[in-house]
Amino acid sequence: MLKIFSSDIIMENETKSGLFFAVLTLAIPLLTGIYLFFTPFPHTTSIKEFCFYGSLLALIVLLVFRKTNFSLRSPLTIPFAAFFFWGLFGLFFALDLNNSAHDLRAHFLKYVAIYFLLINYFDSHKKLEVLSRIIIASATIFSLWAIIVFYFVDGNSFSVRLGVTFLEIHTDYIGFVLIFALILALNKLISNHPKPVMIKVLLFISAFILCLTTLLTQSRGSLIALLIALIILSFLNKKILIFIIITVLLVVVIPGFKGRINLREILNNERFQMNALTMEIIKANPITGIGFGMQIYGNVNRIDLKQFDSKLPKKYQGGVGGTFIGSPHNTILDIAVRTGIVGLIIFLSIVLTALWMIWQAWKSARSEYYKSWIACSFAAFLSFMTAALFADTTFGPPAVVFYTILALITILWKIKDESPTASNLAAKTEEPVAS
């Protein structure tokens, strides 16, 4: 990694100041990479905060002394800005001003900053390969850790959904991290470019572990998202059908999973009540929403969920087992209830812009290498948005994954197809991982 990034640092002279700025330039992708690596791991907040603010500090110094070409140019810049300013405007109507102001910074501006760091410092095919290795390694190691701790150390049965006792990355959030990594691993595995047999074996093992761990969560949203990703990739390479078969077999083998996907379980799912309740709140706050703060929805001192529950049809009243869930568990509804219909429209413009960039990149694709990356980004984005219909994804590891996927799409859109050199770059980056 250091070799790839340091080769792009042009030192104007051999003075101490030149070396200082070169180190700062190298530190940004290094710290950002470490941040992404530790994203799924619990109890690593201090490491991630150090890496994030360290990279920002290095960037600020480089900007002050004009030693960087850092740019905010992106098709997503205007949608991001519009969403931020609408969230800012919504502070005047927020039911909890302090929580909304905090979350607008901590759960939007922070992730947008990560997006811009990625598109500026991982802006080539070789650097994308490095980024994919970081994400694959991180998710694979996390998967092994999660399985060992949850099933062997804590002694849970394999019929218990993986991660139900995890606090920082709960069951429904694990799939977002692992499916993205699985897509990247499969993209490298099915690549036609020559690679050592050992690398192929490691990629297959990693992909299997990621698939197994995702399914151990027994998340229906993750299962649907996983299958969608695999189906998209299979159009590019029929070898992916093997993993579709593996996925189906694991669903059958994992204790308890079949019970979660039977028709009765789906038709009587508690999400119908949760969605109906959320819609009532949206009706009461249609324009600006209840505020950007993510703790407003479940705060009994800010919003009376029982009052809205009384307006629902009888079959949806009473909450989930007599308890009202403190969030919509649906990203689209979550955005709508917090920022109103206007905020939702702006957010959807981000989604549509990302899809437009994928389409533009695909139209310019000439090499199979570049096409595989585009298909990979599309599979990652569509699978994420599908799973997001079953979970709140605007904070924590899922949000980091979302903005990383957006960065991947933007980088591919910016660098276009470098064919025939793209093939050469791919061949070089398939050297041993330690390079």
Side-chain angles (χ1 to χ4, degrees):
M1 175 178 173
L2 292 178
K3 182 179 179 181
I4 291 174
F5 285 90
S6 61
S7 64
D8 289 342
I9 299 175
I10 301 175
M11 296 189 58
E12 298 177 356
N13 51 60
E14 296 182 357
T15 62
K16 290 184 178 180
S17 62
L19 179 61
F20 173 71
F21 292 123
V23 171
L24 286 182
T25 303
L26 184 60
I28 294 176
L30 179 62
L31 291 174
T32 304
I34 295 173
Y35 177 92
L36 292 179
F37 180 86
F38 283 103
T39 291
F41 292 94
H43 312 302
T44 58
T45 302
S46 57
I47 296 175
K48 289 181 285 192
E49 292 294 289
F50 172 81
C51 290
F52 174 72
Y53 289 107
S55 60
L56 279 190
L57 178 61
L59 177 61
I60 291 171
V61 173
L62 292 172
L63 287 171
V64 169
F65 289 95
R66 299 181 180 180
K67 296 295 183 179
T68 179
N69 294 321
F70 184 88
S71 173
L72 297 178
R73 290 183 181 178
S74 163
L76 288 171
T77 301
I78 292 178
F80 282 158
F83 192 67
F84 169 72
F85 284 114
W86 181 253
L88 203 62
F89 176 72
L91 293 179
F92 293 100
F93 308 93
L95 301 183
D96 188 332
L97 176 61
N98 291 333
N99 182 228
S100 294
H102 171 272
D103 287 358
L104 189 59
R105 174 194 63 80
H107 298 304
F108 180 68
L109 287 182
K110 181 177 181 179
Y111 301 128
V112 170
I114 293 171
Y115 164 84
F116 281 110
L117 288 173
L118 288 172
I119 69 170
N120 278 276
Y121 290 95
F122 289 84
D123 55 349
S124 71
H125 285 293
K126 288 193 291 185
K127 292 175 184 177
L128 280 182
E129 291 286 348
V130 172
L131 181 62
S132 68
R133 292 176 184 178
I134 292 172
I135 294 170
I136 293 168
S138 169
T140 303
I141 295 172
F142 168 78
S143 296
L144 293 172
W145 172 85
I147 290 174
I148 292 171
V149 169
F150 190 77
Y151 292 113
F152 296 99
V153 176
D154 293 344
N156 290 295
S157 166
F158 279 96
S159 62
V160 179
R161 299 178 64 192
L162 175 66
V164 292
T165 57
F166 294 171
L167 298 178
E168 295 181 42
I169 180 166
H170 195 261
T171 300
D172 290 333
Y173 298 147
I174 292 175
F176 290 95
V177 176
L178 304 193
I179 293 174
F180 181 36
L182 173 61
I183 293 169
L184 293 174
L186 290 176
N187 181 51
K188 293 177 69 65
L189 182 62
I190 65 178
S191 171
N192 292 325
H193 299 292
K195 57 179 71 70
V197 175
M198 182 57 66
I199 296 298
K200 292 181 179 180
V201 172
L202 289 176
L203 285 171
F204 183 86
I205 293 174
S206 175
F208 178 79
I209 291 172
L210 293 170
C211 183
L212 172 62
T213 310
T214 299
L215 295 177
L216 283 172
T217 65
Q218 299 184 34
S219 167
R220 288 179 289 250
S222 293
L223 173 61
I224 297 171
L226 175 59
L227 289 174
I228 286 176
L230 293 176
I231 291 170
I232 292 173
L233 292 178
S234 68
F235 283 107
L236 197 67
N237 193 309
K238 300 303 180 184
K239 295 177 182 177
I240 297 299
L241 292 173
I242 297 173
F243 267 88
I244 295 180
I245 295 172
I246 290 174
T247 299
V248 174
L249 290 176
L250 287 174
V251 169
V252 174
V253 171
I254 294 175
F257 205 155
K258 288 189 294 182
R260 286 187 51 78
I261 56 177
N262 66 59
L263 186 59
R264 178 179 295 180
E265 177 75 16
I266 294 173
L267 292 178
N268 294 311
N269 192 270
E270 63 273 8
R271 293 181 186 276
F272 290 111
Q273 186 279 334
M274 294 161 61
N275 292 342
L277 181 61
T278 302
M279 289 300 297
E280 284 298 324
I281 301 174
I282 293 173
K283 289 178 186 178
N285 305 271
I287 307 300
T288 58
I290 61 177
F292 201 90
M294 297 177 188
Q295 296 179 5
I296 298 175
Y297 192 105
N299 189 338
V300 294
N301 296 319
R302 300 296 181 180
I303 186 169
D304 187 0
L305 293 180
K306 291 184 179 180
Q307 177 185 349
F308 290 102
D309 178 72
S310 64
K311 299 178 182 180
L312 297 177
K314 287 292 184 181
K315 63 178 180 179
Y316 293 138
Q317 290 184 7
V320 179
T323 302
F324 294 105
I325 307 300
S327 64
H329 281 243
N330 179 306
T331 298
I332 300 300
L333 293 181
D334 177 54
I335 295 293
V337 78
R338 291 192 294 116
T339 64
I341 301 302
V342 176
L344 177 60
I345 291 172
I346 298 173
F347 177 79
L348 291 178
S349 74
I350 296 174
V351 174
L352 292 176
T353 301
L355 291 173
W356 174 82
M357 283 193 288
I358 292 173
W359 173 243
Q360 291 295 311
W362 180 262
K363 288 199 302 182
S364 69
R366 297 186 299 275
S367 68
E368 290 302 318
Y369 174 76
Y370 188 70
K371 286 181 179 179
S372 69
W373 269 107
I374 298 299
C376 173
S377 68
F378 180 58
F381 187 72
L382 193 59
S383 65
F384 182 96
M385 293 307 302
T386 300
L389 297 176
F390 303 91
D392 304 317
T393 62
T394 53
F395 66 96
V400 175
V401 171
F402 179 65
Y403 286 92
T404 302
I405 294 173
L406 290 180
L408 169 62
I409 294 169
T410 305
I411 294 167
L412 290 169
W413 176 83
K414 288 174 67 175
I415 62 180
K416 304 299 182 185
D417 194 346
E418 298 176 358
S419 179
T421 55
S423 300
N424 297 331
L425 285 173
K428 290 180 181 178
T429 53
E430 292 299 345
E431 294 173 357
V433 176
S435 61

